[in-house]
Amino acid sequence: MSPDEGLEELRRRNRDAELGGGEERIRRQHKAGKKTARERLELLLDPASFLELDRFVVHQTHDFGMAEQRIPGDGVVTGSGRIHGRPVFVFAQDFTVFGGSLSEAYARKICKIMDLAMKTGVPVIGLNDSGGARIQDGVASLGGYADIFLRNTLASGVVPQISAIMGPCAGGAVYSPAITDFNIMVQGTSYMFITGPDVIKSVTHQEVSKEELGGAMTHASVSGVAHFAAPDDAAALALIRDLLSYLPSNNMEDPPRRIPADDPWREDERLDGLVPADPNKPYDVKEIIRAVVDDGVFLEVHEHYAKNLIVGFGRIDGGSVGIVANQPMVLAGTLDIDASLKGARFVRFCDAFNIPLVTFEDVPGFLPGVAQEHGGIIKHGAKLLYAYCEATVPKLTVITRKAYGGAYDVMNSKHIRGDYNVAWPSAEIAVMGPKGAVEILYKGEDSTDERETEYREKFAHPYLAAARGYLDDIIDPRDTRPRLIDALETLETKRDKNPPKKHGNLPL
């Protein structure tokens, strides 16, 4: 073969690899409202930054007529690229090739980039669109999944792992995204479940659609499996780019900083009157968050799940912070099972990747009820407590109103290594609210407004806590942003560590 013929052969093989399952299957993918694997990578990565690996890998299966069906790449596109100029490793499952089903060769391709990501300290992004294990590969495909699960586990807390579910993801395949740090699902075209509607119907006689069982909004609002629900492929990929802008590349780096356009020392007079005088009247804590972060930009995580607790990312004076806040607009901001799980997972992620935590506290306690107690609110609430106790990143807390009972302790109190704890004058720090306290203190007697007022004046304020040093200061609400910036600057050199151990026994 002459050099020219060799180059032409290379070009032909490249064209075959880039066509995936062929033009007809690409048309079907587009008709279903989905982009192809390569189109998705073009949107996700910086222009001309993708470096493909293993383009010519094919499966080694001979049974069931597979020897005659070998397509370069074998159903997954893998390689490296850049997002905002920073390196990432990526894989994109190609539904046009064998329905994106996973073979032994396919799994090895994914494992290779995950190993490279660990060696180089670079995030891993997986774009999932697969029919599951390739039946023709038998147990080798199951082994391939296990190889991936192991790497997901070993990479956890070392490099950020982000999964986008952009088509089907069923059976054992769901466990890889479940281990990763963030799951983004596309509405209308993606679903996740262990067993599909047909199996459920045959076993339990329940009828349910794929969307109801495992669609994007089901997992974003009911199960909490999905952290984000995007309207289409392009929005999901743009969201990944935005999310990565808040995260370091690995656990040895600090989060990226931006030069802020927002005045770091600005005050916001709106905060002075935001908390209502009536302690039972709700307000939107997101107004506080947006008033404090740079340019009012807040990337909320788990927006549709456990809405009584808000978590997400923002920037304060150009630096990334993780924000946790009770939401008085939902269940009065109480902590329940779902909110505790949501908060614990987020706090542990931020701690693993050196992202300071800022907590806005207005919590009347844990949600009471038989369902909560029987559902394990004790052990699930302990997860949030454990996460805050374990975290060694800078931890700042602003108590805006209620901080009652055990929930006061849980929400990053000074007692569990809070670094900078302040309160607004509207704060009420006590064992319980005035009404409940009076009913116990004067049991058998008529409760009166005067007794509740007396209790509130004596105990339901921040000054007793400040007198004991449990608060570092009581601040004017309008000064919240500059005070947090000062504290974050001071805590930049914080060094803290937990006792040597293999790992703790988180109350699972």
Side-chain angles (χ1 to χ4, degrees):
M1 185 182 293
S2 70
D4 287 345
E5 289 172 330
L7 286 172
E8 183 54 39
E9 174 70 5
L10 175 62
R11 294 187 188 105
R12 183 188 67 76
R13 289 178 180 264
N14 280 332
R15 286 194 297 269
D16 289 346
E18 289 172 5
L19 263 181
E23 293 179 356
E24 176 55 33
R25 287 178 180 167
I26 289 173
R27 276 195 290 272
R28 284 187 221 162
Q29 183 85 344
H30 289 160
K31 189 175 180 180
K34 301 193 294 182
K35 296 189 179 297
T36 66
R38 293 181 183 277
E39 289 169 342
R40 288 166 175 164
L41 290 174
E42 285 181 10
L43 288 173
L44 174 66
L45 302 172
D46 294 347
S49 70
F50 181 52
L51 177 64
E52 187 170 354
L53 301 177
D54 290 334
R55 178 185 290 229
F56 301 117
V57 164
V58 294
H59 68 77
Q60 303 302 314
T61 306
H62 298 280
D63 298 324
F64 308 105
M66 290 298 288
E68 291 75 44
Q69 301 182 63
R70 288 199 167 100
I71 298 174
D74 200 39
V76 63
V77 182
T78 61
S80 63
R82 292 184 178 273
I83 293 178
H84 305 303
R86 297 163 60 204
V88 295
F89 279 97
V90 293
F91 68 85
Q93 296 173 339
D94 187 351
F95 195 77
T96 72
V97 179
F98 307 121
S101 59
L102 183 137
S103 70
E104 182 182 20
Y106 179 135
R108 282 202 305 267
K109 289 180 63 174
I110 293 176
C111 289
K112 179 186 284 189
I113 66 154
M114 296 183 76
D115 290 340
L116 286 168
M118 287 279 284
K119 289 176 183 176
T120 57
V122 168
V124 178
I125 302 166
L127 308 183
N128 295 263
D129 187 0
S130 168
R134 193 173 300 171
I135 295 172
Q136 296 91 332
D137 261 41
V139 70
S141 66
L142 300 181
Y145 273 125
D147 290 337
I148 294 170
F149 302 157
L150 174 62
R151 283 161 176 80
N152 287 136
T153 303
L154 296 178
S156 182
V158 179
V159 294
Q161 300 180 81
I162 300 174
S163 298
I165 314 301
M166 313 187 86
C169 184
V174 300
Y175 287 112
S176 175
I179 297 172
T180 61
D181 299 307
F182 297 100
N183 277 321
I184 299 164
M185 293 187 70
V186 179
Q187 298 177 48
T189 60
S190 71
Y191 55 83
M192 295 178 76
F193 39 66
I194 299 293
T195 52
D198 293 340
V199 175
I200 287 175
K201 184 178 180 180
S202 67
V203 174
T204 69
H205 307 293
Q206 293 175 293
E207 292 197 21
V208 63
S209 69
K210 287 182 179 179
E211 189 65 31
E212 292 172 319
L213 180 63
M217 287 310 299
T218 296
H219 283 309
S221 62
V222 180
S223 73
V225 169
H227 297 81
F228 303 93
D232 54 36
D233 281 9
L237 298 168
L239 183 54
I240 294 174
R241 290 179 62 88
D242 190 20
L243 176 59
L244 273 173
S245 73
Y246 293 93
L247 312 181
S249 293
N250 57 66
N251 64 342
M252 301 300 289
E253 293 184 3
D254 290 327
R257 292 191 67 90
R258 288 186 175 179
I259 299 173
D262 199 352
D263 178 7
W265 309 117
R266 66 170 168 79
E267 299 175 348
D268 197 321
E269 296 179 6
R270 293 174 300 167
L271 296 180
D272 288 349
L274 184 62
V275 175
D278 181 351
N280 297 316
K281 188 174 180 180
Y283 62 92
D284 189 354
V285 75
K286 291 183 188 179
E287 292 187 39
I288 298 176
I289 295 170
R290 294 191 187 104
V292 168
V293 297
D294 293 352
D295 304 308
V297 177
F298 174 58
L299 178 61
E300 187 170 355
V301 176
H302 264 146
E303 178 182 3
H304 306 288
Y305 177 69
K307 294 183 178 181
N308 42 322
L309 189 75
I310 305 295
V311 302
F313 297 104
R315 293 184 182 87
I316 296 182
D317 196 26
S320 293
V321 294
I323 294 171
V324 181
N326 305 109
Q327 175 57 290
M329 298 283 288
V330 181
L331 297 176
T334 52
L335 293 170
D336 63 355
I337 290 171
D338 290 346
S340 298
L341 292 169
K342 170 179 171 177
R345 174 79 169 168
F346 183 77
V347 167
R348 298 191 89 215
F349 174 84
C350 291
D351 186 47
F353 289 101
N354 311 313
I355 301 171
L357 286 160
V358 178
T359 301
F360 293 99
E361 182 176 355
D362 185 351
V363 60
F366 285 89
L367 183 67
V370 174
Q372 288 290 308
E373 295 292 350
H374 288 184
I377 184 61
I378 294 172
K379 68 177 179 182
H380 294 303
K383 292 174 185 176
L384 181 57
L385 172 60
Y386 189 105
Y388 267 124
C389 287
E390 183 184 46
T392 58
V393 292
K395 299 186 292 186
L396 293 70
T397 297
V398 179
I399 301 175
T400 60
R401 188 166 60 179
K402 298 173 185 174
Y404 290 165
Y408 154 73
D409 290 327
V410 169
M411 293 297 292
N412 191 42
S413 64
K414 180 64 72 174
H415 319 277
I416 59 173
R417 298 195 292 184
D419 295 301
Y420 182 67
N421 296 61
V422 297
W424 289 1
S426 51
E428 301 177 6
I429 304 170
V431 174
M432 62 178 62
K435 184 176 177 59
V438 166
E439 288 175 355
I440 292 173
L441 290 170
Y442 300 97
K443 190 174 182 179
E445 302 179 31
D446 292 335
S447 177
T448 64
D449 291 340
E450 289 79 8
R451 282 173 172 170
E452 288 185 27
T453 301
E454 179 187 13
Y455 180 88
R456 190 180 302 278
E457 290 175 350
K458 284 186 176 181
F459 299 105
H461 55 71
Y463 297 101
L464 286 177
R468 291 182 174 271
Y470 299 161
L471 292 173
D472 296 304
D473 204 356
I474 300 167
I475 65 171
D476 188 329
R478 71 175 67 189
D479 293 333
T480 303
R481 174 176 162 84
R483 295 297 291 270
L484 289 176
I485 288 174
D486 267 336
L488 286 166
E489 286 182 353
T490 301
L491 291 166
E492 275 187 7
T493 54
K494 177 187 174 182
R495 295 291 180 269
D496 201 357
K497 61 181 179 180
N498 294 316
K501 51 186 169 180
K502 186 173 183 179
H503 57 70
N505 191 16
L506 179 69
L508 297 172

